[in-house]
Amino acid sequence: MELYKTNQLKIYNSLSKSKELFVPIVEGNVGMYVCGPTVYSNVHLGNVRTFMSFDLIFRYLKHLGYKVRYVRNITDAGHLENDADVGEDRIAKKARLEQIEPMEVVQRYTVDFHNILQKINNLPPSIEPTATGHIVEQIEIIKDILNKGLAYEINGSVYFDVLKYNETEHYGILSGRNIEDSIHNTRELDGQSDKKNPQDFALWKKAEPQHIMRWPSPWSDGFPGWHLECTAMSTKYLGETFDIHGGGMDLKFPHHECEIAQSQVKNKVKPVNYWLHANMLILNGMKMAKSTGNYILPDEIFTGDNKILPKAFSPSATRFFMLQAHYRSILDFTSAGIEASEKGYLKLMEAVNSLSKIEASKASSIDINSWKQKCYDALNDDFNSPILIANLFEAVKYVNLLIDKKETLTADDLQNFKITINAFVFDVLGLKNDMQEDSSDKLSGVVELLITMRKEARDNKDWALSDKIRDELAVLGIQLKDGKEGTTFSVN
RNA sequence: GGCGUCGUGGCCGAGUGGCUAGGCUGGGCUCUGCAAAAGCUCCUACAGCGGUUCGAAUCCGCUCGAUGCCUCCA
């Protein structure tokens, strides 16, 4: 029987601001849409955190036995530099600066994006559609909204009429805003605008003559507004109403608010049942920003080539660091923080590697099922990975006690224990075992030989020789561990 | 200015109206030839001030502080 039938998954819904029992529209199936990156520069660590958070959610839903269709777009056009009629999207701007074709920019940073997410061990989404591949769909939606009288055309551009929409619907339902407030509090924007009201947002923008990325439409040669692509693609692949929509906290307003408005007008139904928002990653207590230099790229962490960290940290250690915080909490990336996480991660992996050393007994002194239930309870409570990890460290202690024969498990319980640990560590948390790669048979044969020689030296009280073996192996990154049942080793 | 979020022990980070988070670090003990590893154990907590309550770090109010959005942003 599928696990979802016995697990009560609760999800925090940004729309209701409360945890709700998760019930998908179609039993056993989940449709999930997550706003992807704008591919105009390298992904930074904050992006990675968001996508990793939704990777955890994707993985757990799959683990529970759901058939998940996970759609995450690539924004490769139509993303306005700002909303004040500058008339140039950021992809095109970057292309001009670098003297290359816009699609070359898109290609370069899409590849970078995929590389980083692969290193961090994110699963690829089920569908990864691009904005430029869905221009036709977007134009159709604009036509529909125009026909319904909730958009207007001015000088070849089309804008969504937020005030009119607000007469019958609540624009601000997700972000907790009232349109009346924002009318009085909108800051002055530079440049002139065709918009009737500052709150209105672009559905279609007429391209200036020098603008390279352009498509024909009934209104002008131009490009779609940013908010529209997500509506077009989520509707196309997941339906008019789907289960989960995710994205970074900063997209709540205006992006997701605009999506809701567009969908409500087009389809007359609420587009999403559960809105999920991942919180921000900050660096040394401050917002990450290129302009201030408070900034680090994922690859700079993996290579150690940066001014913030004393050494390199593996993608797995980085992932583990981020999983130790809940996805809805702000996470502060610091050198001390990731160093502590790396040690914990290595400790966890060492325990996983030691599972094979446990021998079964006739009786169990540990209640594995109740421990296992605590792991599920953690994730069922709005994907609480920090609590899951705390429970996994409980398991680490069990592993060490079992190896020392201070606790016992029956063969069945032991099997259950191993399967559960592996499932949570590798399938759900998506960690990779950095400690396994070097443990080839040949290497372990050599180390075992040295361990035997050291034991002989110790038996002869030749401490100089035994310490020499131990210390020089340590220099090579091989640590010897003397236990009651003899000496074992681990490779770093 | 408006709308939010948050303020937990040396650090990072969970959580709950009364009962252990967990990791890292530091101290002690056991084990050990010595160490390491492992196990056991200890320490300074819930920004401040009021209020609700038998009882609040957990609910409410105010103050202070941090941070996000309001303009592209994961």
Side-chain angles (χ1 to χ4, degrees), chain A residues 340-370:
Chain A
S341 286
E342 185 190 46
K343 287 184 185 173
Y345 161 74
L346 292 172
K347 185 174 167 180
L348 179 61
M349 285 306 138
E350 203 161 302
V352 169
N353 287 339
S354 302
L355 282 172
S356 58
K357 294 176 195 158
I358 302 172
E359 292 168 20
S361 300
K362 283 178 184 164
S364 292
S365 60
I366 303 170
D367 185 349
I368 290 301
N369 280 324
S370 106

mmCIF file of all heavy atoms in Angstrom, chain A residues 340-370:
data_model
loop_
_atom_site.group_PDB
_atom_site.id
_atom_site.type_symbol
_atom_site.label_atom_id
_atom_site.label_comp_id
_atom_site.label_asym_id
_atom_site.label_seq_id
_atom_site.Cartn_x
_atom_site.Cartn_y
_atom_site.Cartn_z
ATOM 1 N N ALA A 340 30.410 23.455 10.760
ATOM 2 C CA ALA A 340 29.733 22.594 11.735
ATOM 3 C C ALA A 340 28.881 21.557 11.018
ATOM 4 O O ALA A 340 28.861 20.382 11.391
ATOM 5 C CB ALA A 340 28.877 23.440 12.668
ATOM 6 N N SER A 341 28.193 21.994 9.957
ATOM 7 C CA SER A 341 27.344 21.072 9.213
ATOM 8 C C SER A 341 28.168 19.990 8.532
ATOM 9 O O SER A 341 27.762 18.836 8.468
ATOM 10 C CB SER A 341 26.539 21.822 8.152
ATOM 11 O OG SER A 341 25.518 22.560 8.753
ATOM 12 N N GLU A 342 29.320 20.371 8.019
ATOM 13 C CA GLU A 342 30.148 19.384 7.337
ATOM 14 C C GLU A 342 30.551 18.267 8.294
ATOM 15 O O GLU A 342 30.508 17.090 7.948
ATOM 16 C CB GLU A 342 31.402 20.049 6.752
ATOM 17 C CG GLU A 342 32.238 19.079 5.939
ATOM 18 C CD GLU A 342 33.593 19.657 5.557
ATOM 19 O OE1 GLU A 342 34.266 20.240 6.434
ATOM 20 O OE2 GLU A 342 33.975 19.519 4.378
ATOM 21 N N LYS A 343 30.922 18.652 9.508
ATOM 22 C CA LYS A 343 31.303 17.630 10.488
ATOM 23 C C LYS A 343 30.126 16.705 10.796
ATOM 24 O O LYS A 343 30.295 15.490 10.892
ATOM 25 C CB LYS A 343 31.804 18.297 11.774
ATOM 26 C CG LYS A 343 33.173 18.909 11.613
ATOM 27 C CD LYS A 343 33.704 19.479 12.916
ATOM 28 C CE LYS A 343 35.021 20.187 12.665
ATOM 29 N NZ LYS A 343 35.501 20.893 13.859
ATOM 30 N N GLY A 344 28.981 17.298 10.973
ATOM 31 C CA GLY A 344 27.796 16.495 11.239
ATOM 32 C C GLY A 344 27.483 15.581 10.066
ATOM 33 O O GLY A 344 27.134 14.411 10.249
ATOM 34 N N TYR A 345 27.606 16.123 8.879
ATOM 35 C CA TYR A 345 27.346 15.333 7.673
ATOM 36 C C TYR A 345 28.287 14.131 7.578
ATOM 37 O O TYR A 345 27.859 13.005 7.291
ATOM 38 C CB TYR A 345 27.485 16.241 6.445
ATOM 39 C CG TYR A 345 27.683 15.492 5.146
ATOM 40 C CD1 TYR A 345 26.618 14.823 4.541
ATOM 41 C CD2 TYR A 345 28.934 15.423 4.540
ATOM 42 C CE1 TYR A 345 26.803 14.112 3.372
ATOM 43 C CE2 TYR A 345 29.125 14.725 3.371
ATOM 44 C CZ TYR A 345 28.066 14.064 2.793
ATOM 45 O OH TYR A 345 28.254 13.346 1.639
ATOM 46 N N LEU A 346 29.576 14.367 7.861
ATOM 47 C CA LEU A 346 30.552 13.272 7.788
ATOM 48 C C LEU A 346 30.253 12.210 8.847
ATOM 49 O O LEU A 346 30.397 11.015 8.599
ATOM 50 C CB LEU A 346 31.971 13.821 7.957
ATOM 51 C CG LEU A 346 32.459 14.701 6.789
ATOM 52 C CD1 LEU A 346 33.791 15.351 7.121
ATOM 53 C CD2 LEU A 346 32.560 13.907 5.490
ATOM 54 N N LYS A 347 29.817 12.680 10.011
ATOM 55 C CA LYS A 347 29.461 11.750 11.079
ATOM 56 C C LYS A 347 28.281 10.869 10.653
ATOM 57 O O LYS A 347 28.271 9.660 10.887
ATOM 58 C CB LYS A 347 29.095 12.571 12.323
ATOM 59 C CG LYS A 347 28.802 11.781 13.565
ATOM 60 C CD LYS A 347 28.609 12.757 14.724
ATOM 61 C CE LYS A 347 28.011 12.060 15.935
ATOM 62 N NZ LYS A 347 27.826 13.007 17.052
ATOM 63 N N LEU A 348 27.334 11.506 9.999
ATOM 64 C CA LEU A 348 26.168 10.763 9.516
ATOM 65 C C LEU A 348 26.571 9.735 8.464
ATOM 66 O O LEU A 348 26.142 8.577 8.496
ATOM 67 C CB LEU A 348 25.141 11.751 8.943
ATOM 68 C CG LEU A 348 23.850 11.174 8.357
ATOM 69 C CD1 LEU A 348 23.064 10.415 9.417
ATOM 70 C CD2 LEU A 348 22.982 12.295 7.774
ATOM 71 N N MET A 349 27.421 10.151 7.536
ATOM 72 C CA MET A 349 27.839 9.241 6.464
ATOM 73 C C MET A 349 28.651 8.075 7.018
ATOM 74 O O MET A 349 28.558 6.952 6.538
ATOM 75 C CB MET A 349 28.675 10.002 5.430
ATOM 76 C CG MET A 349 27.862 10.901 4.539
ATOM 77 S SD MET A 349 26.520 9.983 3.739
ATOM 78 C CE MET A 349 25.206 11.148 3.908
ATOM 79 N N GLU A 350 29.453 8.379 8.019
ATOM 80 C CA GLU A 350 30.244 7.317 8.620
ATOM 81 C C GLU A 350 29.332 6.254 9.227
ATOM 82 O O GLU A 350 29.581 5.058 9.096
ATOM 83 C CB GLU A 350 31.153 7.924 9.695
ATOM 84 C CG GLU A 350 32.362 7.079 9.980
ATOM 85 C CD GLU A 350 33.437 7.912 10.659
ATOM 86 O OE1 GLU A 350 33.867 8.926 10.074
ATOM 87 O OE2 GLU A 350 33.806 7.544 11.766
ATOM 88 N N ALA A 351 28.278 6.723 9.869
ATOM 89 C CA ALA A 351 27.328 5.773 10.451
ATOM 90 C C ALA A 351 26.645 4.959 9.353
ATOM 91 O O ALA A 351 26.458 3.744 9.485
ATOM 92 C CB ALA A 351 26.295 6.528 11.278
ATOM 93 N N VAL A 352 26.293 5.617 8.251
ATOM 94 C CA VAL A 352 25.661 4.898 7.146
ATOM 95 C C VAL A 352 26.608 3.834 6.611
ATOM 96 O O VAL A 352 26.209 2.694 6.336
ATOM 97 C CB VAL A 352 25.272 5.893 6.014
ATOM 98 C CG1 VAL A 352 24.860 5.132 4.764
ATOM 99 C CG2 VAL A 352 24.154 6.813 6.480
ATOM 100 N N ASN A 353 27.887 4.188 6.503
ATOM 101 C CA ASN A 353 28.872 3.222 6.013
ATOM 102 C C ASN A 353 29.076 2.067 6.987
ATOM 103 O O ASN A 353 29.539 0.999 6.595
ATOM 104 C CB ASN A 353 30.214 3.922 5.778
ATOM 105 C CG ASN A 353 30.180 4.819 4.551
ATOM 106 O OD1 ASN A 353 29.335 4.641 3.678
ATOM 107 N ND2 ASN A 353 31.081 5.784 4.492
ATOM 108 N N SER A 354 28.765 2.305 8.256
ATOM 109 C CA SER A 354 28.995 1.277 9.272
ATOM 110 C C SER A 354 27.808 0.334 9.454
ATOM 111 O O SER A 354 27.890 -0.613 10.224
ATOM 112 C CB SER A 354 29.280 1.944 10.625
ATOM 113 O OG SER A 354 30.402 2.792 10.507
ATOM 114 N N LEU A 355 26.727 0.621 8.754
ATOM 115 C CA LEU A 355 25.521 -0.196 8.929
ATOM 116 C C LEU A 355 25.796 -1.669 8.683
ATOM 117 O O LEU A 355 25.247 -2.543 9.352
ATOM 118 C CB LEU A 355 24.417 0.283 7.970
ATOM 119 C CG LEU A 355 23.653 1.539 8.371
ATOM 120 C CD1 LEU A 355 22.752 2.000 7.239
ATOM 121 C CD2 LEU A 355 22.820 1.274 9.625
ATOM 122 N N SER A 356 26.704 -1.949 7.723
ATOM 123 C CA SER A 356 26.961 -3.343 7.355
ATOM 124 C C SER A 356 27.676 -4.107 8.471
ATOM 125 O O SER A 356 27.710 -5.331 8.463
ATOM 126 C CB SER A 356 27.796 -3.387 6.078
ATOM 127 O OG SER A 356 28.998 -2.677 6.282
ATOM 128 N N LYS A 357 28.239 -3.354 9.421
ATOM 129 C CA LYS A 357 28.981 -4.033 10.494
ATOM 130 C C LYS A 357 28.074 -4.534 11.613
ATOM 131 O O LYS A 357 28.525 -5.250 12.504
ATOM 132 C CB LYS A 357 30.004 -3.058 11.111
ATOM 133 C CG LYS A 357 31.110 -2.660 10.159
ATOM 134 C CD LYS A 357 32.008 -1.622 10.821
ATOM 135 C CE LYS A 357 32.892 -0.935 9.791
ATOM 136 N NZ LYS A 357 33.352 0.376 10.284
ATOM 137 N N ILE A 358 26.817 -4.111 11.566
ATOM 138 C CA ILE A 358 25.908 -4.513 12.641
ATOM 139 C C ILE A 358 25.482 -5.961 12.441
ATOM 140 O O ILE A 358 25.132 -6.369 11.332
ATOM 141 C CB ILE A 358 24.660 -3.613 12.664
ATOM 142 C CG1 ILE A 358 25.065 -2.156 12.852
ATOM 143 C CG2 ILE A 358 23.704 -4.042 13.777
ATOM 144 C CD1 ILE A 358 23.918 -1.178 12.692
ATOM 145 N N GLU A 359 25.522 -6.722 13.515
ATOM 146 C CA GLU A 359 25.070 -8.113 13.440
ATOM 147 C C GLU A 359 23.711 -8.239 14.114
ATOM 148 O O GLU A 359 23.442 -7.605 15.120
ATOM 149 C CB GLU A 359 26.097 -9.024 14.130
ATOM 150 C CG GLU A 359 27.418 -9.089 13.361
ATOM 151 C CD GLU A 359 28.516 -9.735 14.193
ATOM 152 O OE1 GLU A 359 28.192 -10.448 15.165
ATOM 153 O OE2 GLU A 359 29.697 -9.497 13.872
ATOM 154 N N ALA A 360 22.892 -9.100 13.547
ATOM 155 C CA ALA A 360 21.549 -9.293 14.095
ATOM 156 C C ALA A 360 21.603 -10.115 15.377
ATOM 157 O O ALA A 360 22.519 -10.915 15.579
ATOM 158 C CB ALA A 360 20.662 -9.975 13.065
ATOM 159 N N SER A 361 20.616 -9.898 16.218
ATOM 160 C CA SER A 361 20.527 -10.648 17.471
ATOM 161 C C SER A 361 19.169 -11.329 17.554
ATOM 162 O O SER A 361 18.334 -11.205 16.657
ATOM 163 C CB SER A 361 20.698 -9.721 18.671
ATOM 164 O OG SER A 361 21.949 -9.088 18.618
ATOM 165 N N LYS A 362 18.950 -12.006 18.661
ATOM 166 C CA LYS A 362 17.673 -12.726 18.811
ATOM 167 C C LYS A 362 16.554 -11.816 19.283
ATOM 168 O O LYS A 362 15.381 -12.127 19.120
ATOM 169 C CB LYS A 362 17.851 -13.884 19.802
ATOM 170 C CG LYS A 362 18.581 -15.065 19.172
ATOM 171 C CD LYS A 362 18.800 -16.172 20.171
ATOM 172 C CE LYS A 362 19.631 -17.298 19.532
ATOM 173 N NZ LYS A 362 20.195 -18.208 20.531
ATOM 174 N N ALA A 363 16.925 -10.711 19.912
ATOM 175 C CA ALA A 363 15.903 -9.792 20.411
ATOM 176 C C ALA A 363 16.318 -8.356 20.104
ATOM 177 O O ALA A 363 17.488 -8.082 19.840
ATOM 178 C CB ALA A 363 15.729 -9.961 21.915
ATOM 179 N N SER A 364 15.340 -7.461 20.114
ATOM 180 C CA SER A 364 15.616 -6.046 19.867
ATOM 181 C C SER A 364 15.510 -5.251 21.154
ATOM 182 O O SER A 364 14.541 -5.397 21.899
ATOM 183 C CB SER A 364 14.620 -5.481 18.849
ATOM 184 O OG SER A 364 14.854 -6.051 17.584
ATOM 185 N N SER A 365 16.515 -4.417 21.389
ATOM 186 C CA SER A 365 16.459 -3.550 22.560
ATOM 187 C C SER A 365 16.058 -2.126 22.173
ATOM 188 O O SER A 365 15.912 -1.258 23.015
ATOM 189 C CB SER A 365 17.821 -3.529 23.269
ATOM 190 O OG SER A 365 18.814 -3.054 22.380
ATOM 191 N N ILE A 366 15.901 -1.889 20.872
ATOM 192 C CA ILE A 366 15.481 -0.570 20.389
ATOM 193 C C ILE A 366 14.161 -0.729 19.647
ATOM 194 O O ILE A 366 13.987 -1.685 18.888
ATOM 195 C CB ILE A 366 16.527 0.029 19.418
ATOM 196 C CG1 ILE A 366 17.895 0.130 20.087
ATOM 197 C CG2 ILE A 366 16.083 1.399 18.920
ATOM 198 C CD1 ILE A 366 19.013 0.488 19.121
ATOM 199 N N ASP A 367 13.258 0.217 19.862
ATOM 200 C CA ASP A 367 11.977 0.196 19.148
ATOM 201 C C ASP A 367 12.140 0.927 17.812
ATOM 202 O O ASP A 367 11.964 2.140 17.722
ATOM 203 C CB ASP A 367 10.909 0.872 20.013
ATOM 204 C CG ASP A 367 9.531 0.772 19.382
ATOM 205 O OD1 ASP A 367 9.440 0.368 18.200
ATOM 206 O OD2 ASP A 367 8.544 1.092 20.070
ATOM 207 N N ILE A 368 12.489 0.159 16.794
ATOM 208 C CA ILE A 368 12.779 0.758 15.486
ATOM 209 C C ILE A 368 11.535 1.402 14.879
ATOM 210 O O ILE A 368 11.609 2.471 14.267
ATOM 211 C CB ILE A 368 13.352 -0.308 14.528
ATOM 212 C CG1 ILE A 368 14.765 -0.697 14.982
ATOM 213 C CG2 ILE A 368 13.389 0.205 13.098
ATOM 214 C CD1 ILE A 368 15.740 0.457 15.036
ATOM 215 N N ASN A 369 10.401 0.763 15.037
ATOM 216 C CA ASN A 369 9.200 1.327 14.413
ATOM 217 C C ASN A 369 8.814 2.675 15.000
ATOM 218 O O ASN A 369 8.341 3.550 14.273
ATOM 219 C CB ASN A 369 8.034 0.340 14.523
ATOM 220 C CG ASN A 369 8.150 -0.736 13.453
ATOM 221 O OD1 ASN A 369 8.586 -0.464 12.332
ATOM 222 N ND2 ASN A 369 7.809 -1.963 13.809
ATOM 223 N N SER A 370 9.028 2.823 16.286
ATOM 224 C CA SER A 370 8.655 4.121 16.851
ATOM 225 C C SER A 370 9.649 5.200 16.418
ATOM 226 O O SER A 370 9.280 6.346 16.168
ATOM 227 C CB SER A 370 8.510 4.014 18.372
ATOM 228 O OG SER A 370 9.593 4.606 19.020
#
